């Protein structure tokens, strides 16, 4: 059997022998194995999200980062006088990084499929670009922390520990530090400009009922996505907008400023008014988007039409929100679901379109 020697560092941690090394993706894909007795099933949605993240960065020539993958060697990594090695055909069992590994593999296959299509139609420029992207991904360095002496039971416990103790950064933190996504950048810029006029929670992704903040960075971003794309999603990977940047900034700022004109005083008081709730704010943005598409209005004209909603009391008991009202809680609930947001948008449109018909 052929020996493949590995460059790296061996050390002992909490009584276990560990070897730390770095391999490129192409090599890793030939080595890693998944044991269903240790690993959970792949979450297709999570895999798709990670793959999209990878492809977005690769196709836009941006570097991206992953933390170290964790493996168990199950005796496959051995040592002689020359160092640590694997014999050809050996496998390493993944303990942490399964979704990232499969997503990287899927992204690579996607690029190769695109290359085949480009070759078929003899698109020379695209062939060169895709070949470069494939080489980049195949050479992508993967840091690997490999346990050399774990039993299956210990692997299972480590998997449990890694996934129980892990605390993912919440969306508010991610939004503050994301320098790739155009929506995130715009949201931060707007929040800075509007802070003197609107109380915005800049760090936490949620606000409690007693908070003095009317909205959060995360809620603002959802509004902006709904405003320009008509989508009810939070995670985006967008580099540019279809409109010029300065127009996008002016439209988004005008939308949030309109709140000050149509919302009641002390609109942040969530126990009294619905105006500080996610579903209401996003539904307003979705309403503007609908008006631009269905009524062929400019964004500024559509935003101005929100003035017709001043007739709403914005209280939980307002008939407009009766389908969400809970008599037990004496407030609306379930407002942030996609279904509820679209229903609220429908209620807003009934009022606006009725007034538009009267004021033709």
């Amino acid at each position: 059997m052929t020996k493949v020697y590995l460059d790296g560092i061996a050390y002992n941690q909490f009584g276990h022998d560990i070897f730390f090394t770095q391999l490129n993706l192409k090599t890793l894909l030939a080595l890693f194995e998944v044991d269903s007795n240790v690993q959970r099933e792949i979450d297709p949605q999570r895999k798709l999200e990670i793959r999209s993240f990878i492809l977005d960065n690769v196709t836009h020539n941006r570097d991206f980062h992953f933390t170290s993958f964790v493996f168990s060697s199950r005796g496959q990594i051995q040592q002689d006088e020359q160092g640590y090695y694997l014999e050809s055909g050996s496998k390493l069992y993944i303990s942490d990084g399964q979704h990232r590994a499969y997503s990287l593999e899927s992204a690579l296959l996607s690029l190769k499929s695109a290359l085949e299509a480009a070759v078929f139609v003899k698109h020379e420029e695209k062939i060169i670009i895709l070949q470069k992207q494939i080489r980049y991904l195949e050479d992508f360095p993967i840091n690997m922390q490999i346990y050399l002496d774990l039993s299956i039971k210990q692997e299972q416990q480590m998997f449990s520990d890694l996934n129980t103790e892990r605390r993912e950064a919440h969306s508010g933190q991610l939004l503050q530090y994301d320098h790739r996504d155009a929506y995130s950048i715009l949201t931060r810029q707007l929040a800075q400009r509007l802070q003197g006029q609107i109380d915005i929670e800049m760090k936490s992704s949620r606000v409690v009922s007693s908070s003095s903040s009317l909205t959060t960075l995360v809620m603002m971003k959802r509004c902006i996505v709904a405003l320009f794309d008509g989508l009810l999603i939070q995670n985006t990977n967008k580099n540019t907008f279809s409109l010029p940047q300065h127009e996008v900034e002016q439209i988004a700022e005008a939308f949030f400023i309109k709140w000050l004109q149509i919302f009641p005083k002390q609109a942040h008081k969530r126990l009294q008014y619905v105006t500080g709730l996610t579903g209401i704010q996003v539904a307003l943005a979705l309403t503007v988007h609908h008006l631009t598409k269905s009524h062929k209005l400019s964004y500024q004209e559509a935003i101005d039409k929100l003035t017709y909603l001043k007739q709403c009391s914005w209280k939980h008991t307002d008939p407009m929100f009766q389908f969400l009202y809970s008599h037990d809680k004496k407030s609306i609930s379930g407002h942030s679901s996609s279904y509820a947001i679209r229903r609220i948008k429908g209620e807003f449109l009934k009022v606006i379109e009725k007034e538009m018909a009267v004021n033709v």
Side-chain angles (χ1 to χ4, degrees):
M1 298 289 286
T2 303
K3 294 181 180 180
V4 180
Y5 286 91
L6 304 171
D7 293 326
I9 300 172
Y11 58 97
N12 187 279
Q13 185 179 52
F14 304 120
H16 292 292
D17 292 324
I18 299 171
F19 185 73
F20 192 88
T21 188
Q22 186 181 87
L23 298 176
N24 63 33
L25 177 62
K26 186 176 181 179
T27 303
L28 172 66
L29 292 178
L31 284 176
F32 92 91
E33 191 77 35
V34 174
D35 185 344
S36 60
N37 292 314
V38 175
Q39 280 286 337
R40 60 189 168 191
E41 291 184 5
I42 281 287
D43 179 346
Q45 182 61 35
R46 187 178 176 197
K47 175 186 170 183
L48 181 62
E49 289 175 355
I50 299 173
R51 189 188 85 149
S52 297
F53 166 79
I54 295 165
L55 287 172
D56 181 66
N57 284 295
V58 171
T59 54
H60 289 94
N61 298 313
R62 296 187 304 240
D63 291 331
F64 60 97
H65 309 279
F66 284 135
T67 55
S68 297
F69 290 42
V70 181
F71 291 83
S72 176
S73 79
R74 297 189 180 179
Q76 300 298 302
I77 292 182
Q78 302 178 49
Q79 183 182 22
D80 61 17
E81 64 279 358
Q82 296 183 52
Y84 288 86
Y85 68 89
L86 278 167
E87 292 185 343
S88 57
S90 298
K91 296 292 184 180
L92 300 175
Y93 291 83
I94 196 162
S95 295
D96 187 53
Q98 177 185 210
H99 283 88
R100 285 170 286 161
Y102 278 125
S103 299
L104 284 161
E105 181 181 41
S106 179
L108 187 57
L109 290 173
S110 176
L111 292 174
K112 289 181 176 179
S113 178
L115 177 60
E116 287 182 9
V119 170
F120 183 77
V121 298
K122 299 180 180 179
H123 194 316
E124 296 298 328
E125 183 180 355
K126 195 167 186 178
I127 289 171
I128 293 171
I129 292 172
L130 286 166
Q131 287 175 334
K132 181 180 178 182
Q133 292 172 349
I134 289 169
R135 285 195 299 271
Y136 172 84
L137 208 50
E138 287 181 336
D139 293 337
F140 186 79
I142 307 292
N143 291 328
M144 300 170 61
Q145 181 177 323
I146 307 169
Y147 284 80
L148 304 179
D149 57 357
L150 294 182
S151 65
I152 300 294
K153 186 176 180 179
Q154 288 172 321
E155 285 182 30
Q156 292 170 334
Q157 184 60 57
M158 180 170 65
F159 174 82
S160 175
D161 291 346
L162 287 170
N163 288 279
T164 300
E165 297 303 320
R166 173 180 290 141
R167 293 291 182 269
E168 302 289 348
H170 65 67
S171 51
Q173 290 176 313
L174 296 175
L175 206 161
Q176 288 185 72
Y177 305 127
D178 187 349
H179 298 284
R180 295 190 179 101
D181 177 43
Y183 282 118
S184 297
I185 295 169
L186 175 61
T187 302
R188 291 196 302 270
Q189 291 172 343
L190 279 174
Q192 290 295 334
R193 291 210 294 267
L194 294 170
Q195 270 286 20
Q197 302 174 73
I198 299 174
D199 192 333
I200 302 166
E201 171 53 55
M202 302 292 282
K203 295 182 179 180
S204 177
S205 56
R206 295 182 179 181
V207 287
V208 296
S209 298
S210 59
S211 173
S212 63
S213 296
L214 177 59
T215 191
T216 70
L217 277 182
V218 173
M219 289 160 67
M220 287 181 66
K221 180 181 175 182
R222 288 195 64 186
C223 287
I224 293 171
V225 174
L227 186 66
F228 291 106
D229 289 350
L231 300 175
L232 300 178
I233 60 174
Q234 182 170 300
N235 296 324
T236 52
N237 282 298
K238 190 165 187 171
N239 296 293
T240 58
F241 296 97
S242 56
L243 296 172
Q245 181 70 26
H246 73 279
E247 287 187 30
V248 169
E249 294 175 7
Q250 290 172 358
I251 292 166
E253 185 169 358
F255 169 74
F256 291 111
I257 291 296
K258 177 59 70 172
W259 290 3
L260 302 177
Q261 300 171 18
I262 64 174
F263 285 175
K265 292 181 179 180
Q266 299 183 319
H268 65 279
K269 291 190 173 182
R270 291 166 177 78
L271 296 178
Q272 185 174 355
Y273 300 111
V274 300
T275 41
L277 303 179
T278 302
I280 304 301
Q281 295 179 4
V282 177
L284 282 170
L286 205 60
T287 300
V288 173
H289 183 269
H290 178 93
L291 290 170
T292 64
K293 299 301 180 184
S294 297
H295 294 273
K296 307 301 180 185
L297 301 179
S298 70
Y299 268 102
Q300 189 56 61
E301 288 172 333
I303 291 169
D304 287 342
K305 299 303 180 188
L306 296 182
T307 303
Y308 291 136
L309 296 176
K310 288 184 71 174
Q311 60 188 268
C312 175
S313 70
W314 300 107
K315 293 182 178 180
H316 291 263
T317 53
D318 192 287
M320 196 177 293
F321 314 116
Q322 62 181 349
F323 70 100
L324 292 171
Y325 186 74
S326 167
H327 290 278
D328 293 334
K329 296 180 180 179
K330 299 190 183 306
S331 65
I332 67 170
S333 60
H335 56 84
S336 59
S337 70
S338 295
Y339 168 77
I341 291 172
R342 295 190 188 282
R343 276 286 303 270
I344 297 168
K345 178 199 75 172
E347 294 298 320
F348 289 159
L349 285 171
K350 286 179 186 177
V351 173
I352 292 170
E353 290 172 342
K354 180 180 179 181
E355 291 296 330
M356 287 172 64
V358 171
N359 292 281
V360 172

